[in-house]
């Protein structure tokens, strides 16, 4: 395995096929009670030191990279063979300073600006003051100096007691975006990351691990998307999402816990066929959604960092797709731009067709990283059409990545997650 070596009818109306949405008890720490897993518990558990020591998931069943011999894999095209176009122009310059605070954007359009804020209170007008006499000035010869008349004492006016006003909590400030690197097609580069993408930490089988995940726009503004193979297993616990994680700044926007049910199970949606048939037979369904709770300051994740729009039925061939993941070998995330093509498996044990992209330097830890179309350099969000996973859980070579196709099955799974993750 390459990557882990390392709604109900109302919601259905929000989805447009072939188009965008309108918008462990382990690991060396004391167990956390089933009903107590919020942002503060996640902060206490996932310390910067533990996050830095987390590893990609260990090798799994046969068919993943650890068990698949390299010579058993069909030859892959070189990175540049999938990209006949020239170097990518990221478009408009990315702002360096944070934008002004604004109310949360509409649920289905996370990249739209909010309403303008209230006007400031005008200053109290300044009253004129009688000029002071100049002591050095000589008296006028035609005027006899007289004693100044006393000013009348003003009648005091009672000051009304102000009515207490409870101000709402300020809206979160949208983060400044790092400059998106421009490189040749298929060339992966480490960069400062995007707030909408981050590491997803979890405990499984007594160890601390991570994959990549990203925020997907939803009515509840509380869903993330990743690969199903990262989240399968009843022992998957202490799951939390950290936007734009880097080793230098491990929690720049806080930590968002994946919520639990009353029975203590993480609120994760994976197609049941993936659970029963396994990572190879059901590789075309290697997608998971998870509900995250508010961060330490009480804000929902999509209100803080925005969200990518889910796109289904968009086909396999895209001229320019952006791939983002968190490699196990790097202290920062990695970005690459290239075209995608359709790959149909000839291995009867791993049936299906998948998106394929040639991008250098995506080893373990990048599982669940998003395939993004129309990435906006101003908002740092785009349309998500895939996540690293699928064929051999994303492929068995670090320079070619795969994704399950986002069709009707993934749309239904999203609808189920939206129904189950309604905001309280």
């Amino acid at each position: 395995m390459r990557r882990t070596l390392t709604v109900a009818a109302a919601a259905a109306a929000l989805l447009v096929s072939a188009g965008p949405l309108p918008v462990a008890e382990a690991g060396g720490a004391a167990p956390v009670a089933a009903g107590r897993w919020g942002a503060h518990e996640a902060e206490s558990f996932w310390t910067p030191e533990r996050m830095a020591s987390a590893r990609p998931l260990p090798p799994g069943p046969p068919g993943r990279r650890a068990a698949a011999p390299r010579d058993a894999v069909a030859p892959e095209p070189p990175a540049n063979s999938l990209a006949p176009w020239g170097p990518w122009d990221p478009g408009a310059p990315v702002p360096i300073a944070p934008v002004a605070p604004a109310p949360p954007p509409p649920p289905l359009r996370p990249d739209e600006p909010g309403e303008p804020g209230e006007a400031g209170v005008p200053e109290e007008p300044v009253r004129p003051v009688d000029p002071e006499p100049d002591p050095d000035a000589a008296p006028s010869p035609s005027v006899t100096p007289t004693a100044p008349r006393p000013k009348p004492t003003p009648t005091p006016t009672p000051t009304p007691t102000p009515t207490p006003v409870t101000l709402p909590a300020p809206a979160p400030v949208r983060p400044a975006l790092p400059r998106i690197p421009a490189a040749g097609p298929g060339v992966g580069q480490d960069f400062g990351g995007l707030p909408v993408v981050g590491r997803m930490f979890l405990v499984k089988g007594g160890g601390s691990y991570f994959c990549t995940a990203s925020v997907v726009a939803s009515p509840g503004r509380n869903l993330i998307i990743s690969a199903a193979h990262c989240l399968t297993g009843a022992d998957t616990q202490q799951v939390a999402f950290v936007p734009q994680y880097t080793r230098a700044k491990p929690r720049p926007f806080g930590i968002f816990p994946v919520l639990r049910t009353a029975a203590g199970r993480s609120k994760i949606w994976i197609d049941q066929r993936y659970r029963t048939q396994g990572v190879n037979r059901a590789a075309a369904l290697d997608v998971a959604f998870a509900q995250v709770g508010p961060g330490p300051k009480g804000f929902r994740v999509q209100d803080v960092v925005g969200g990518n729009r889910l796109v289904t039925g968009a086909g396999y061939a895209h001229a320019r797709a952006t791939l983002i993941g968190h490699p196990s070998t790097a202290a920062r995330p990695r970005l690459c731009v290239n075209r995608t093509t359709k790959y149909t498996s000839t291995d009867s044990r791993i049936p299906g067709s998948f998106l394929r992209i040639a991008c250098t330097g995506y080893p373990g830890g990048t599982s669940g990283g998003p395939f993004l179309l129309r990435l906006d350099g101003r908002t740092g969000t785009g349309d998500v059409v895939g996540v690293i996973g699928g064929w051999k859980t994303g492929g068995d070579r670090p320079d070619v990545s795969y994704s399950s196709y986002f069709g009707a099955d993934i749309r239904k799974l999203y609808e189920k997650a939206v129904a189950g993750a309604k905001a309280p």
Side-chain angles (χ1 to χ4, degrees), residues 182-275:
V187 179
Q189 292 191 105
D190 293 345
F191 78 125
L194 295 179
V196 77
V197 184
R199 280 193 182 189
M200 179 179 65
F201 293 94
L202 56 102
V203 168
K204 184 188 288 282
S208 298
Y209 302 102
F210 74 90
C211 282
T212 301
S214 58
V215 183
V216 60
S218 68
R221 311 178 73 76
N222 56 2
L223 288 181
I224 60 173
I225 185 172
S226 187
H229 69 262
C230 293
L231 293 167
T232 53
D235 59 341
T236 301
Q237 297 291 335
Q238 321 297 66
V239 190
F241 173 66
V242 181
Q244 201 174 353
Y245 170 91
T246 64
R247 197 167 299 168
K249 295 182 179 180
R251 288 197 295 244
F253 305 110
I255 189 168
F256 297 83
V258 171
L259 297 182
R260 297 176 175 178
T261 65
R265 299 291 297 272
S266 297
K267 299 190 72 172
I268 296 166
W269 290 268
I270 297 173
D271 193 298
Q272 185 60 31
R273 291 169 291 178
Y274 192 86
R275 297 182 185 275

Side-chain angles (χ1 to χ4, degrees), residues 145-194:
T146 60
R149 292 178 297 175
K151 295 181 180 180
T153 303
T155 303
T157 303
T159 303
T161 303
T163 303
V165 177
T166 302
L167 298 177
V173 177
R174 284 300 172 87
L177 302 176
R179 185 166 297 279
I180 298 175
V187 179
Q189 292 191 105
D190 293 345
F191 78 125
L194 295 179

